[in-house]
Amino acid sequence: MPDAFWLYFPDYFFAAVYFIFGAMIGSFLNVCIHRMPLEQSLSHPPSHCPHCDYSIPWYLNIPILAWIKLQGRCANCQAPISLRYPAIELLTGLAFLACWLAFRPDALMAAILCLVMAGFITATFIDIDHQIIPDEITLGGMVAGVACSLIAPQLHGTESRLDALLTSLIGLGVGFGAVWAIVLLGKLFLGKQVFDVEEGEQLVFTDEALIFSDGEMPYEDIFYRKSDTIRFHASRVELIDRCYIDTDVSLTMDKLTIGNASFDPEAVSQMVVDTREITIPREAMGFGDVKFMGAIGAFLGWQATVFTLASSALFGSVIGVGAMFIKKDSAAARLPYGPFIALGATVWIFGGDRLWDAWLKLAMPVSP
């Protein structure tokens, strides 16, 4: 059987192709990261300046180089363009280049893993910005992972499509199931934090924070998912223009409920309450992380999900503790977990299987 045609090209040629194509995909990922959480079209309107609506021509939309040429400013209104745009383009280009260098000359394997890396980058930055991972990435990733396993069974180290399909489905199930179990346990043991309030102490809800007698808790430290809810029973609730006695109260990002009355939290500048106990939301992971791990398992197999789960916990612990030490507050610890999952899976792709084999040899040495 003749060699694949790309074997006749020097390595640096395809290295350049993968990097350039990756940077171009990175430009599209910037659009996905901005628009997907807002449920906006990815194709319309075309790329434009958010400050002056200037439609960006193609020659000013060249990845990385255009930002350098424009010195990080809009060509029309001179508004600053975030450094993150070229950074994501560069990161994606390097990720695609790494896939080619690690898996050449198997172009199909490299291409599929480029797709995986693009999903990781998109999920990471959306999760950082919005604490969500869209279903297009997670559920779509599950379907794509199973399909790609049939197309390229070498993803799972086999030539049999049936074996690859079974491995993909098992990986999906293990990834989804393991993290779902963690979420359920997290909700059981960490899903809420109850604070006792001293008799005579009043809690004050402002438009920015919940204030205790000995400190305050900014809402950004409490609400990082729409489902997060503060709950308590109050003997007295005082608003600017009214008062409630002996009633249940709940507060989310979008809704304040006092008894049977509902309010827009942004319309309530201050609320003073008398209560003896208040429940603050706290969760281990979100359901988006569950689906994200399922997608990783579909692409990479069950061993990858186990490795990713363990390594992401390690990365999250180290970075979380470091952030808390540097910033000296709890907000530093409220980091989304999706980026650590993506990081752990990336380590697996580029060598985690060898770490796995080394660990198995240490854990279960073969007798001579």
Side-chain angles (χ1 to χ4, degrees), residues 141-163:
M142 293 181 195
V143 175
V146 173
C148 288
S149 297
L150 284 171
I151 295 170
Q154 62 266 39
L155 273 172
H156 302 285
T158 181
E159 295 181 357
S160 168
R161 284 184 167 79
L162 178 59
D163 289 347

Side-chain angles (χ1 to χ4, degrees), residues 53-129:
D53 288 331
Y54 172 65
S55 183
I56 303 173
W58 69 267
Y59 55 86
L60 293 180
N61 210 16
I62 298 173
I64 305 172
L65 298 179
W67 189 90
I68 295 173
K69 174 179 174 55
L70 295 171
Q71 298 182 335
R73 293 190 174 276
C74 172
N76 185 59
C77 69
Q78 298 300 303
I81 302 172
S82 173
L83 178 61
R84 196 169 86 168
Y85 289 104
I88 289 175
E89 293 164 354
L90 176 62
L91 176 63
T92 310
L94 292 174
F96 278 38
L97 172 61
C99 288
W100 169 251
L101 294 178
F103 298 99
R104 68 185 189 280
D106 191 338
L108 180 58
M109 180 85 157
I112 290 174
L113 291 175
C114 284
L115 172 66
V116 173
M117 294 303 299
F120 287 173
I121 291 169
T122 307
T124 291
F125 285 95
I126 290 178
D127 205 16
I128 289 172
D129 289 344

Side-chain angles (χ1 to χ4, degrees), residues 229-313:
T229 307
I230 296 175
R231 301 181 188 276
F232 57 90
H233 182 85
S235 58
R236 183 181 179 89
V237 179
E238 296 180 9
L239 304 182
I240 297 297
D241 58 348
R242 67 195 73 186
C243 179
Y244 297 86
I245 303 296
D246 192 26
T247 185
D248 292 323
V249 181
S250 65
L251 174 65
T252 68
M253 287 190 292
D254 303 320
K255 185 178 181 181
L256 168 64
T257 303
I258 305 175
N260 295 323
S262 297
F263 304 88
D264 180 352
E266 294 185 357
V268 179
S269 60
Q270 180 172 293
M271 178 173 68
V272 181
V273 303
D274 293 318
T275 184
R276 298 299 304 276
E277 185 178 273
I278 183 169
T279 301
I280 307 293
R282 182 175 65 177
E283 294 185 7
M285 294 184 191
F287 196 60
D289 299 324
V290 176
K291 294 178 284 186
F292 193 29
M293 189 66 82
I296 289 170
F299 272 105
L300 305 177
W302 71 268
Q303 297 96 330
T305 64
V306 175
F307 178 89
T308 298
L309 190 58
S311 59
S312 62

Side-chain angles (χ1 to χ4, degrees), residues 25-72:
I25 294 297
S27 181
F28 175 68
L29 297 187
N30 277 318
V31 176
C32 295
I33 291 165
H34 176 72
R35 298 188 185 186
M36 286 177 69
L38 304 177
E39 299 183 352
Q40 296 177 348
S41 169
L42 300 181
S43 58
H44 182 80
S47 296
H48 61 281
C49 173
H51 300 281
C52 66
D53 288 331
Y54 172 65
S55 183
I56 303 173
W58 69 267
Y59 55 86
L60 293 180
N61 210 16
I62 298 173
I64 305 172
L65 298 179
W67 189 90
I68 295 173
K69 174 179 174 55
L70 295 171
Q71 298 182 335

